[in-house]
Amino acid sequence: MTERQAIEDLLEELYAARVRGDLDAVAKLFAANATFQVAGTDDASPMPILVKGNAGIRDLMQGMIANFEVSDFTVLEMLIDGPSAAVRWQATFHYTKTGRMFTTELADFITVANGKVVSFIEFLDTALAAKVLAVK
């Protein structure tokens, strides 16, 4: 198996685990020293965050899985170059606290080493996030 195929398989496993809400499967795909970032500025949205370490990522993912159910997941583009990948995807989200549903696109920039995610940076519609979370 090529390195490119191994990274593609890892990412497909990661997204599938997230969609089905499998916290253990998601967490095991991140390296112990991994970072997870939702890009943006907290001046405009409550979503930007930077978490370091697998335990912190697991805690973050636990909250995301509990609050946002994912359906109609589709990868629109997956570009892999060496250990780096860019994934543009769309899905429908159900915000469980309010029942609100919305469909949006996201873009993730991921770095892999030794078969694990070491860096994950997610770009999302921060204006939509602020609206959904009722932050003015």
Side-chain angles (χ1 to χ4, degrees), residues 113-127:
N114 300 316
K116 302 271 186 178
V117 174
V118 294
S119 174
F120 193 108
I121 304 170
E122 185 161 85
F123 287 82
L124 53 86
D125 183 341
T126 55

Side-chain angles (χ1 to χ4, degrees), residues 86-133:
V87 182
R88 185 171 67 96
W89 57 284
Q90 69 180 19
T92 298
F93 293 85
H94 173 223
Y95 183 40
T96 59
K97 286 188 175 185
T98 64
R100 177 158 184 187
M101 296 186 74
F102 58 96
T103 300
T104 190
E105 284 190 25
L106 298 94
D108 299 329
F109 296 87
I110 304 154
T111 304
V112 174
N114 300 316
K116 302 271 186 178
V117 174
V118 294
S119 174
F120 193 108
I121 304 170
E122 185 161 85
F123 287 82
L124 53 86
D125 183 341
T126 55
L128 175 61
K131 185 175 181 180
V132 167
L133 298 174

Side-chain angles (χ1 to χ4, degrees), residues 14-83:
L14 176 63
Y15 286 109
R18 172 61 184 96
V19 169
R20 69 177 182 271
D22 187 340
L23 177 61
D24 291 333
V26 169
K28 77 172 185 155
L29 299 174
F30 284 87
N33 63 342
T35 59
F36 186 100
Q37 178 180 4
V38 176
T41 175
D42 54 7
D43 288 341
S45 173
M47 293 301 293
I49 191 166
L50 174 61
V51 178
K52 297 178 181 181
N54 189 281
I57 292 169
R58 182 181 179 82
D59 289 346
L60 176 67
M61 287 295 149
Q62 184 174 25
M64 292 175 107
I65 288 169
N67 289 302
F68 294 96
E69 295 173 351
V70 181
S71 62
D72 301 324
F73 174 85
T74 304
V75 171
L76 303 171
E77 292 182 86
M78 183 182 292
L79 306 170
I80 299 172
D81 185 19

Side-chain angles (χ1 to χ4, degrees), residues 6-17:
I7 291 172
E8 185 174 342
D9 291 348
L10 171 73
L11 297 179
E12 287 175 355
E13 183 180 353
L14 176 63
Y15 286 109

